[in-house]
Amino acid sequence: MSRTRTPVVAGWFTDDAAEEDFRLLGTRCSGCRTVHFPREDGHCRNPGCPGGELEETPLSKRGTVWSCTDGRYRPPPPYVSDPGVPWTPYTLVAVELAAERMVVLGQAAPGVGVAALPVGSVVEVVPGVLDEDRETGTVHTTWHWRPVAADGDAS
Amino acid sequence: MRGGASSVKGDVAVLGAGMHPWGKWGRGFVTYGRIAARAALADAGIGWSEVRSVVGAQTVRGGYPGYVAGATFARALGWQGARVASVYAACASGAQAIDTARAQILAGLADVVLVVGADAAPKGFFAPAGGERADDPDWLRFRVLGATNPAYFGLYARRRMALYGDTPDDFALVKVKNAAAGALNEYARYRTPVTAEEVAASAMVADPLRLLDICATSDGAAALVLCSMEFARRRGVRDPVRIRAVSTVTPTFPRTVLDLPDIGTDSAVAVDPSPESFRASIARTAYEEAGAGPADLSLAEVYDLSTALELEWYEDIGLCGPGEGAKLLRSGATAPGGRIPVNASGGLASFGEAVPAQAIAQVCELTQQLRGRAGQRQVAGARVGITANQGLFGHGSAVIAVR
Ligand SMILES: [Zn+2]
C-alpha cells in the first residue's frame, strides 16, 4: 500500500522540505513583531500591540535546551500508539529560541535521551515521524529536536 | 496584623469546614460533595436552610452535573431557594469558588454561603476531553507530543537541577516530609511514612521525577461555610478564622515560562518579561491585600503537584530567595516544628489531586490549624496561614487566613 505523509497539524512546519530547509512555522505580527507558535492567525496576543497583520514566519532552526524530560509511560489518547507493542520511552525537550525570545516544546529525535540534551546545549529542528496508521497507510509527520554535534558543522 | 479584636473591612469568617476523605472510593462526586457539605454545616452549627448562597467548584469529569456543580450540590442537599453559582478555574477552581462567596458576602448579597468542591478522578494520567479538537491546546499537547502533566513537572524539575543544583535526593526529601505529615491526617489518602530509599526505588515517570515524586489523582471533597463577620458575631463566634485575602490574578504578557498545556511560550520580542514569575505574583497580590508578608506566616499549604514544585513555591511565596528552596528544606524550616511548616496537611503528596476540591481543602487545613484543632499535626500558636496553587490555562490562587 502506498503511504500518505500528512503533517500531524497543518501549517505548523514546512512540508516536504529537505532536512536542511525544515523549519517550524509561526506567525509574526506586523504591528509589534511578536512571534506566535503555535501559530496565531486570528489575533496578536500582545496587549500593547498597536494592531497589525499576522504573517507566516519560519522560526530559527537552532536553539538551546531550556529543559528536557522523558515519557516512561504510554500517554493516553489522543496520543497514538499501538497498545499491542511494548512502550518505547521518548524524550521531550523545551528549546529556547534566541531570535524569537521564546521556548518551544517538541519531541527529541528517536534514540536521543535526556543525557544527550544538557540544559544550554545546542539543538536543531528536523523532520520526523509521529505515528503511522498501517491500515490507511497514513504517516503523520512532526518536528523533532536533535543535538548539534559539538564540532558544529555549518548551519 | 496578628490577632487583634478589630477586623479589616474585607474579612469574611470561616464558620465551618468539612471534608470527605481522599481516596479511590468508586462513588460519584455528588456523594462526596454532599458528605463534605453536611460536615461543614455541622461544624458551623447551622442548618442548611440558613444558607443563602451555594457556590460549587466545577468538575469536568462528571458530565453536565459537574458543569453545574453549585446546582448539583444544592439539589443533593435539597432545594431550598438559595442563589447559586458554579465556577471553573482548573486547579484554582476551589479558590475562585471561595472568592465568589467572599464577594457576595462583602457586597451584602448573602450572609452565609456554602462553598463545595468534589471530584471522582480517573485512574492514571489526566487526559483531555474526547473528540478531534485541533483548536484546543490541551488536546494538541497530547496528540502532538504525548505531553502529560508529569512531563511538564519533569521539565521544571530538571531546570531547577541545572540552574540551582537541586538533586533528586532533595526532591525525595519533600516526599518524606509530606508523607510523614499525611500519616497523621485522617482525610489523607496515603497515610504511610515514606523513606528516601523508597522514593529512589520507585519507577521513573518523567526523568528526573519518579512515581513517588508526582502526586496521584484522587476522589475527594471539601466544603466551607463562610459568613459575614456580623453574622459570626450574632452566632456568638467572637474570634472566628477569617479569610483576609484571596488572590486569583492572571499572568502578564509575555509569559516566558512554559505552562501547561502550552507547546510554546509567549515571545518576548516586543515586550520584556516581568522579572516576577506568575506564581510569585499570585502570592504577592495576596500579601498586599492582607497587609502581611512572608515573615508573618505561621504555616503554608502549597500545591506540590511534584516534589520539585514544592521547592519552587518556597521561593515564590517568599520563604527564601530564588534557588534557595532545597537549602530551606534541608534546614528543616518547612518541616513540622520548623520555622514555617509547609504542607502540614501532608500536601498533594499525601492526598493526590481532587481538582475542584483541592484549593478548598487547603483552606480547611488552615482553618483547623488556626483554630488549634489540627491534633497531632498542629502547628503551635498558628495565627496566619497562606495557601497557594496553580492550574493550567493561566490559573492560580492564594488565600490568606488569620485568627
Ligand atoms: Zn502585535
Side-chain angles (χ1 to χ4, degrees), chain B residues 275-342:
Chain B
E276 182 184 52
S277 75
F278 172 48
R279 276 189 305 271
S281 75
I282 295 167
R284 175 185 46 80
T285 306
Y287 286 133
E288 285 174 3
E289 188 173 301
D296 297 308
L297 296 176
S298 314
L299 76 159
E301 288 284 311
V302 305
Y303 226 59
D304 56 321
L305 291 163
S306 80
T307 49
L309 271 170
E310 177 166 316
L311 301 180
E312 298 217 8
W313 278 116
Y314 293 176
E315 300 157 16
D316 292 326
I317 67 172
L319 303 184
C320 61
E324 295 173 355
K327 192 174 129 201
L328 188 72
L329 171 77
R330 287 190 172 280
S331 77
T334 60
R339 171 169 67 79
I340 168 71
V342 176

Side-chain angles (χ1 to χ4, degrees), chain B residues 2 12 21 26 36 39 50 58 61 71 89 96 133-134 147-148 238 246 285 331 335 341 344 353 361 363 365 393:
Chain B
R2 285 163 187 251
V12 299
E50 292 180 85
Q58 294 171 234
R61 279 168 287 280
Q96 288 204 1
R133 296 193 322 285
T148 60
R238 286 191 310 248
V246 183
T285 306
S331 77
E353 191 183 20
V363 177
E365 175 69 9
F393 285 98

Side-chain angles (χ1 to χ4, degrees), chain A residues 99-119:
Chain A
E100 291 82 4
R101 295 190 75 186
M102 68 189 298
V103 173
V104 172
L105 199 53
Q107 292 187 350
V112 176
V114 294
L117 296 163
V119 171

Side-chain angles (χ1 to χ4, degrees), chain A residues 26-102:
Chain A
T27 53
R28 181 185 291 277
C29 173
S30 64
C32 72
R33 312 304 293 160
T34 292
V35 178
H36 302 280
F37 183 85
R39 58 188 302 147
E40 199 64 83
D41 288 294
H43 52 271
C44 175
R45 294 199 310 267
N46 172 8
C49 177
E53 299 295 314
L54 290 163
E55 293 150 357
E56 185 170 283
T57 185
L59 304 191
S60 300
K61 187 166 182 71
R62 289 188 172 186
T64 54
V65 174
W66 184 83
S67 189
C68 63
T69 185
D70 57 15
R72 300 291 182 99
Y73 289 84
R74 191 188 305 275
Y79 193 77
V80 176
S81 71
D82 182 349
V85 176
W87 174 245
T88 307
Y90 64 89
T91 302
L92 274 172
V93 53
V95 177
E96 204 161 3
L97 304 177
E100 291 82 4
R101 295 190 75 186
M102 68 189 298

